Amino acid sequence: MLRYSLPALLLLATACVPLGTPITDPNAPRGSQPRPAEYYADKTLRYEDYTYSPDVRSVQCYVATGQNTEIFQPPVVPISQQQPIVLEFDLLGNGSQRLTAKLVHCDVDWKPSVLTDLQFLSEINEFLITDYRTGVNVKVPYYHYRMQVPRVKLSGNYLLVVSSGGGVPVLTRRLLVYENGVEVGIRQGIPVAGQERYTMQQVDFSISYNGLNLVNPSQEVKVMLRQNFRWDNAKTNLRPTFVRDAERRLDYQYFNFENAFPASSEFRYFDMRSVRTMGAGIAQLDPTTSPRTVVLSPEATRNGQSYTQFDDINGQRLFESREYGDGDTNGDYANVTFQLRAAQPAPGPVYVFGALTDWKLQDEFKLTYNTEQQQYTGTALLKQGYYNYYYVVGKSTGAPDDVYFEGSHQETENQYDLLVYYRPRAPAPTCLSATRASPSTAAGRR
C-alpha cells in the first residue's frame, strides 16, 4: 500500500524572523510560471528550486550519507550537520567559469528574512566553487561542479544561490536545517468518500509538543505535507482538527481531502546508462551523432488501466555510465526523444515532468502534437543515467495534472514527509527548535 518516509520532520524557529517581501509574484501558480517560452529569459532571483541558464544541467542537491542511495536524500539535515548537504551540477561548454555561492535565510513562506549573515554563519557569505572537473570521453563538453554547503548556526529555511560573474544567478536550491523539538506520528488515512478512496492517498498525523510551551498551538505551529519531496503540490496551511491540551498533542485528520493527494501511478522510466546498447524503454540509439541520439519507445496513456506494480525511484534520476562507471565526468549527453500516443489533443499543453525538470514545466520538455500521427513528441538533452518521469498536462493554476495520462491508484507507492514550523506570537526574538522522527507507520506493498 503506502510507504511513509520521514527524512525530515522539522519544527523550525522563525520567531525572530518577520515576514519579508517576495521578489516574485506570490500569486503566481506554482509549477507554471514563468511560462515555458520564457523559462530562462528572466534572471530575477526566485526563492525556490530553479535553473536560470540552459547551460546548467543535471543538478543534484542531497545529504552526503556515504550510501549508494544518498542522491535520493532531500537536502534536509539536523542542526548538527554531521552529514553535510552537497550540491553537484554540470555546466555545458569548453571552458570553466568562476562561480560563487551564498546562503539566504528565509522565513516559513520562503521569503528573505531580516537576519544578517553573521547571525546564521560563522564566515563570510560568499563561497567560491573550486571543485570542478572536465567531462572525459564525451561528445558534449561540460564541466562538473561540486560543493559542500557550509555549516549554519540556526535552524530554518535556506536558499542556496549559485551565481556567475556579475552576480547573475545560475541556479538556486532550497535547503532545510532542523532541530528535534516535537514528536510526530504519521499514518495512512482513508479518504472519506466513494471513488476517491481508490484514487487518492490520505496522510493523517499528530504532533506531540511536550517539550514546548505553546500558548496558542493551533496558530503558532505551521505544517507542510509533501509527496515525493515535491514543492509544487505540497499541502500548506493545515490547521489541527483537534487541540488536546491535556495530552499536549495536535491531531490532523481531515474530511475534505485537505491532507490527501492523487496517488497517480508508478513513474515511467527509461535506462540510458549505456550509449552503446539500448536499455529499457529505448527504441533507437545512434552513437555516431553529436550529441548522440536516443528515441524512446512509443508510449500510451495509462488512465483507465489497472494498477501495475513495479519498483520506481519516485520521480528521481540517477547519473551513471555503464561504459566507464563514473557518471559525474564520464557520463555523456544525448538528445532524447519522447513519444506519447494520444487519439486527440489534451485539454492543455503536455510536458515531461519529474526531477529531470526540477518538478517544473520547462520549455525544453514541452511536447508537440501531430494530428496525422496522433502522437505527442519532444526532444530534450539529458545526461547518461536512469530516469523516472510522468507525462502531465499544464494548468493555468496549481500543480500540473498528472492523472490525465497516468491515471491514479491507491496502491501506488509514494513517499511523504512532514515539515513542522513553530512561530510564537510573542515579539521576543526567540529562535526555537525542530524535530526529526522515524515513521510510526511503514506499510509496504502487500
Side-chain angles (χ1 to χ4, degrees), residues 10-29:
L10 289 83
L11 178 62
L12 300 180
T14 56
C16 59
V17 182
L19 294 179
T21 302
I23 288 181
T24 53
D25 182 4
N27 299 316

Side-chain angles (χ1 to χ4, degrees), residues 49-245:
D49 294 346
Y50 203 87
T51 303
Y52 303 81
S53 169
D55 293 333
V56 175
R57 301 276 172 162
S58 308
V59 182
Q60 298 179 97
C61 193
Y62 59 91
V63 179
T65 63
Q67 302 176 354
N68 293 334
T69 58
E70 66 179 10
I71 61 171
F72 302 135
Q73 301 299 316
V76 182
V77 293
I79 190 65
S80 64
Q81 299 159 77
Q82 294 178 345
Q83 296 175 327
I85 294 176
V86 172
L87 173 71
E88 296 188 59
F89 60 94
D90 293 340
L91 186 64
L92 301 185
N94 290 305
S96 62
Q97 294 186 24
R98 185 182 188 275
L99 300 178
T100 60
K102 64 177 293 185
L103 288 170
V104 179
H105 187 272
C106 300
D107 64 18
V108 66
D109 295 316
W110 290 100
K111 301 170 185 176
S113 76
V114 296
L115 294 184
T116 64
D117 295 345
L118 292 179
Q119 288 179 281
F120 61 85
L121 277 176
S122 300
E123 50 193 315
I124 298 176
N125 193 5
E126 184 176 12
F127 309 95
L128 180 64
I129 304 178
T130 58
D131 184 355
Y132 56 90
R133 296 173 292 163
T134 183
V136 180
N137 296 322
V138 294
K139 290 190 175 184
V140 177
Y142 65 88
Y143 277 79
H144 181 78
Y145 288 77
R146 185 182 189 275
M147 74 164 292
Q148 180 175 305
V149 178
R151 293 168 59 95
V152 295
K153 297 187 290 186
L154 298 177
S155 62
N157 292 344
Y158 291 89
L159 185 76
L160 179 64
V161 183
V162 178
S163 303
S164 60
V168 178
V170 296
L171 72 92
T172 50
R173 281 298 181 270
R174 288 179 172 182
L175 319 177
L176 298 99
V177 179
Y178 67 90
E179 299 178 34
N180 289 321
V182 297
E183 294 181 1
V184 176
I186 188 169
R187 61 192 177 276
Q188 176 185 352
I190 300 177
V192 183
Q195 186 64 26
E196 284 80 3
R197 69 177 56 197
Y198 303 107
T199 61
M200 302 189 75
Q201 292 174 343
Q202 180 167 308
V203 181
D204 296 333
F205 55 93
S206 61
I207 301 173
S208 298
Y209 56 93
N210 290 323
L212 292 177
N213 184 22
L214 301 184
V215 176
N216 189 351
S218 63
Q219 297 295 322
E220 296 172 356
V221 175
K222 184 173 182 178
V223 300
M224 180 177 295
L225 185 62
R226 300 190 300 176
Q227 181 189 60
N228 297 325
F229 313 123
R230 291 169 57 178
W231 293 103
D232 65 301
N233 66 344
K235 303 291 185 179
T236 59
N237 300 319
L238 298 177
R239 300 295 183 182
T241 50
F242 301 99
V243 179
R244 306 185 187 278
D245 290 328

